[in-house]
Amino acid sequence: MSDGSIDLNSDVRAKVYATPLELLDPAQPELFRQDAHWAIFERLRKEDPVHYTAEHEFGPYWSITKYNDIMTVDTNHEAFSSEGGITIANQTAGEGPLPMFIAMDPPKHDVQRKTVSPAVSPMNLAILEPLIRERASKILDSLPIGEEFDWVDKVSMELTAMTLATLFDMPQEDRRKLTYWSDVVTAAPGQGLIDTIEQKMEIFVEYHAYFTKLWNERVNAPPAGDLISMLAHGEATRNMEPREYFGNVVLLTVGGNDTTRNTITGSVLALNQNPDQYRKLRENPGLIPSMVSETIRWQTPLAHMRRIATRDFDIGGKTIKMGDKVVMWYVSGNRDDEVIENPNAYIIDRERPRQHISFGFGIHRCVGNRLAELQLKIIWEEILARFPDIQVVAEPKRVYSSFVKGYESMKVIIPTRY
């Protein structure tokens, strides 16, 4: 199983280095599905860290591939706007890009983000922690011993969907709708989940109707601590247009679902690919927080974020022109050996394990980053209390996407339990 330290697909690697530099296009979902994207970013970091791709199905764009350059762009929201979308391909719902606070600039971004941030405050996380632990325990206690099963379906999707349903205060029996809708949001037509854009729009109608019903219930009830009530009663959000509300629901669904679930899966995979680190973790469970941060770096669950230049900007010896599309490749910045020592290695007791760029920086830094870390910490505390080993038995099936760096399925066996 590939781990990014070397590119096992030698044909892809040879092709990358044989391609004229100006023709390199890192936004190739199929390479991400094959876990064969590493060579492109390695070459760009070395030879052209601020790289222009002139021809792409979603238009020309700049690739920012080194850690410090990504930080420069990510922390300068005045020169690099989020308006209109955060991916190379704009997320739409039939009428252009969906408005959502991650795809807004101040001051509107700030007041909308502030409206929902209490849901993931330290105080609320302290309230959620025992509930997450209880659910993690039940999930793990229900797993078969000595039989092959899909870790993504039985564990990663379950825990994150349960937590997200709680944050929305929606019925737990509906939690897998969140998983499905989240996948539909980022799915490309013809890759298994949906066949056409029209089908995607039909699913969005159902998705929108469900959350419209929740809004109507909450707006007519006293303010409460769930995300929908916060939006319905927030001074800056209670009068928002339906599409803007839906855009924020989409953001909270994908942000609360995909990233954590793919890092939970990635942690099991990484420890299997690095048995010395797995042994180290079993011998010292106190390394769990450090392991969690290292996995978030190693996995980089969202491969990129997009911005639009609001003015001409010089970086890396290049001039990005006003209006140009700029893509920050977090997946590349997290492997930059000028900032992170031995970045292709998975080392759970790194000196600075939180020195990664997976959550972004600046005003758009992931609002739920502490909740993601908490869920990963809890699931591994409960895993180590139950299972001496979890064995990945086949190469995982990865998502077809250059945005979500995740897993559709991963077969494992748990040989025994304590």
Coordinates of all heavy atoms in Angstrom, one line a residue, residues 342-374:
N342 N 11.8 15.5 7.4 CA 11.4 14.2 6.9 C 9.9 14.1 6.7 O 9.2 13.3 7.3 CB 11.9 13.2 7.9 CG 11.9 11.8 7.4 OD1 11.7 11.5 6.2 ND2 12.2 10.8 8.2
P343 N 9.4 14.9 5.8 CA 7.9 15.1 5.8 C 7.1 13.9 5.2 O 6.0 13.7 5.5 CB 7.7 16.3 4.9 CG 8.9 16.3 4.0 CD 10.0 15.8 4.9
N344 N 7.8 13.0 4.4 CA 7.1 11.9 3.9 C 7.0 10.7 4.8 O 6.4 9.7 4.5 CB 7.8 11.4 2.6 CG 7.6 12.4 1.5 OD1 6.6 13.0 1.3 ND2 8.7 12.7 0.7
A345 N 7.7 10.8 6.0 CA 7.6 9.8 7.0 C 6.5 10.1 7.9 O 6.2 11.2 8.2 CB 9.0 9.7 7.7
Y346 N 5.9 9.0 8.4 CA 4.8 9.1 9.4 C 5.4 8.8 10.8 O 5.9 7.7 11.1 CB 3.7 8.1 9.1 CG 2.6 8.0 10.0 CD1 1.6 9.0 10.0 CD2 2.4 7.0 11.0 CE1 0.5 9.0 10.8 CE2 1.3 7.0 11.8 CZ 0.4 8.0 11.7 OH -0.7 7.9 12.6
I347 N 5.6 9.9 11.6 CA 6.3 9.8 12.9 C 5.4 10.4 14.0 O 5.1 11.6 14.0 CB 7.6 10.6 12.8 CG1 8.5 10.2 11.7 CG2 8.3 10.6 14.1 CD1 9.6 11.1 11.4
I348 N 4.8 9.5 14.8 CA 3.8 9.9 15.7 C 4.3 10.7 16.9 O 3.5 11.3 17.7 CB 2.9 8.7 16.2 CG1 3.7 7.8 17.1 CG2 2.3 8.0 15.0 CD1 2.9 6.7 17.8
D349 N 5.6 10.7 17.1 CA 6.1 11.5 18.3 C 7.0 12.6 17.7 O 8.1 12.9 18.3 CB 6.9 10.6 19.3 CG 7.9 9.8 18.6 OD1 8.1 9.8 17.4 OD2 8.7 9.1 19.4
R350 N 6.6 13.3 16.7 CA 7.3 14.4 16.1 C 7.5 15.5 17.2 O 6.6 15.6 18.1 CB 6.6 15.0 15.0 CG 6.7 14.3 13.7 CD 6.1 15.1 12.5 NE 6.3 14.3 11.3 CZ 7.3 14.4 10.5 NH1 8.3 15.2 10.8 NH2 7.4 13.6 9.4
E351 N 8.5 16.3 17.1 CA 8.8 17.3 18.1 C 7.7 18.4 18.0 O 7.2 18.9 19.0 CB 10.1 18.0 17.8 CG 10.6 19.0 18.9 CD 12.0 19.5 18.7 OE1 12.7 18.8 18.0 OE2 12.3 20.5 19.2
R352 N 7.2 18.7 16.8 CA 6.1 19.7 16.6 C 5.0 19.1 15.7 O 4.9 19.5 14.5 CB 6.7 20.9 15.9 CG 7.8 21.6 16.7 CD 8.4 22.8 16.0 NE 7.4 23.8 15.7 CZ 7.6 24.9 14.9 NH1 8.7 25.0 14.2 NH2 6.7 25.8 14.7
P353 N 4.2 18.2 16.2 CA 3.3 17.5 15.4 C 2.1 18.3 14.9 O 1.5 18.0 13.9 CB 2.7 16.4 16.4 CG 2.9 17.0 17.7 CD 4.2 17.7 17.7
R354 N 1.9 19.5 15.5 CA 0.8 20.3 15.1 C 1.3 21.3 14.0 O 0.5 22.2 13.6 CB 0.1 21.0 16.2 CG -0.5 20.1 17.3 CD -1.5 20.8 18.2 NE -2.7 21.0 17.5 CZ -3.6 22.0 17.8 NH1 -3.2 22.9 18.7 NH2 -4.7 22.1 17.2
Q355 N 2.5 21.2 13.6 CA 3.0 22.1 12.6 C 2.6 21.5 11.2 O 3.4 21.0 10.4 CB 4.5 22.2 12.6 CG 5.1 23.2 11.6 CD 6.6 23.2 11.6 OE1 7.2 22.2 11.9 NE2 7.2 24.2 11.1
H356 N 1.3 21.7 10.9 CA 0.8 21.2 9.6 C -0.2 22.3 9.1 O -0.6 23.2 9.9 CB 0.1 19.9 9.7 CG -1.1 19.8 10.6 ND1 -2.3 20.4 10.3 CD2 -1.3 19.4 11.9 CE1 -3.2 20.2 11.3 NE2 -2.6 19.6 12.3
I357 N -0.6 22.2 7.9 CA -1.4 23.2 7.3 C -2.8 22.7 6.9 O -3.6 23.3 6.2 CB -0.7 23.8 6.1 CG1 -1.0 25.2 5.8 CG2 -0.8 22.8 4.9 CD1 -0.1 25.9 4.9
S358 N -3.2 21.5 7.4 CA -4.4 20.8 7.0 C -5.6 21.6 7.4 O -6.7 21.5 6.7 CB -4.5 19.4 7.7 OG -3.4 18.6 7.2
F359 N -5.6 22.4 8.4 CA -6.8 23.2 8.8 C -6.8 24.6 8.2 O -7.7 25.3 8.5 CB -6.8 23.3 10.4 CG -7.1 22.0 11.1 CD1 -6.3 21.7 12.2 CD2 -8.1 21.2 10.7 CE1 -6.6 20.5 12.9 CE2 -8.4 20.0 11.4 CZ -7.6 19.7 12.5
G360 N -5.8 24.9 7.4 CA -5.7 26.2 6.9 C -5.2 27.2 8.0 O -5.0 26.8 9.1
F361 N -5.0 28.5 7.5 CA -4.6 29.5 8.5 C -5.4 30.8 8.2 O -6.1 30.9 7.2 CB -3.1 29.7 8.4 CG -2.3 28.8 9.2 CD1 -1.9 27.6 8.6 CD2 -2.0 29.0 10.5 CE1 -1.2 26.6 9.4 CE2 -1.3 28.1 11.3 CZ -0.9 26.9 10.7
G362 N -5.2 31.8 9.0 CA -5.9 33.0 8.8 C -7.4 32.9 9.2 O -7.8 32.1 10.0
I363 N -8.2 33.8 8.6 CA -9.6 33.9 9.1 C -10.4 32.7 8.7 O -11.5 32.5 9.3 CB -10.2 35.2 8.5 CG1 -10.3 35.1 6.9 CG2 -9.5 36.5 8.9 CD1 -11.2 36.2 6.3
H364 N -9.9 31.9 7.8 CA -10.7 30.7 7.3 C -10.2 29.4 8.0 O -10.6 28.4 7.5 CB -10.7 30.6 5.8 CG -11.4 31.7 5.1 ND1 -12.8 31.9 5.2 CD2 -10.9 32.7 4.3 CE1 -13.1 32.9 4.4 NE2 -12.0 33.5 3.9
R365 N -9.3 29.5 9.0 CA -8.9 28.3 9.6 C -10.1 27.5 10.1 O -11.1 28.1 10.6 CB -8.0 28.7 10.8 CG -7.4 27.4 11.6 CD -6.4 27.9 12.6 NE -6.0 26.8 13.4 CZ -5.1 25.8 13.1 NH1 -4.5 25.9 11.9 NH2 -4.7 24.9 13.9
C366 N -10.0 26.2 9.9 CA -11.2 25.3 10.2 C -11.8 25.6 11.6 O -11.1 25.5 12.6 CB -10.7 23.9 10.1 SG -12.0 22.7 10.5
V367 N -13.1 26.0 11.6 CA -13.8 26.3 12.8 C -13.9 25.1 13.7 O -14.0 25.2 14.9 CB -15.1 27.0 12.5 CG1 -16.1 26.0 11.9 CG2 -15.7 27.6 13.7
G368 N -14.0 23.9 13.1 CA -14.2 22.7 13.9 C -13.0 21.9 14.2 O -13.1 20.7 14.5
N369 N -11.8 22.5 14.1 CA -10.6 21.7 14.2 C -10.4 21.0 15.5 O -10.0 19.8 15.6 CB -9.3 22.5 13.9 CG -9.1 23.6 14.9 OD1 -8.4 23.4 15.9 ND2 -9.6 24.8 14.6
R370 N -10.8 21.6 16.6 CA -10.7 21.0 17.9 C -11.7 19.8 18.1 O -11.4 18.8 18.7 CB -10.9 22.0 19.0 CG -9.8 23.1 19.1 CD -8.5 22.5 19.4 NE -7.5 23.6 19.6 CZ -6.2 23.4 19.9 NH1 -5.8 22.1 20.0 NH2 -5.4 24.4 20.0
L371 N -12.8 19.9 17.4 CA -13.8 18.8 17.5 C -13.3 17.6 16.7 O -13.4 16.5 17.1 CB -15.1 19.2 16.9 CG -16.2 18.2 16.8 CD1 -16.5 17.5 18.1 CD2 -17.5 18.7 16.2
A372 N -12.6 17.9 15.5 CA -12.0 16.8 14.8 C -11.0 16.1 15.6 O -10.9 14.8 15.7 CB -11.4 17.4 13.5
E373 N -10.1 16.9 16.2 CA -9.0 16.3 17.1 C -9.6 15.5 18.2 O -9.1 14.4 18.6 CB -8.1 17.3 17.6 CG -7.3 18.0 16.5 CD -6.5 19.2 17.0 OE1 -6.9 19.8 18.0 OE2 -5.5 19.5 16.3
L374 N -10.7 16.0 18.8 CA -11.3 15.3 19.9 C -11.9 13.9 19.5 O -11.7 12.9 20.2 CB -12.4 16.2 20.5 CG -13.2 15.6 21.7 CD1 -12.3 15.4 22.9 CD2 -14.4 16.5 22.1

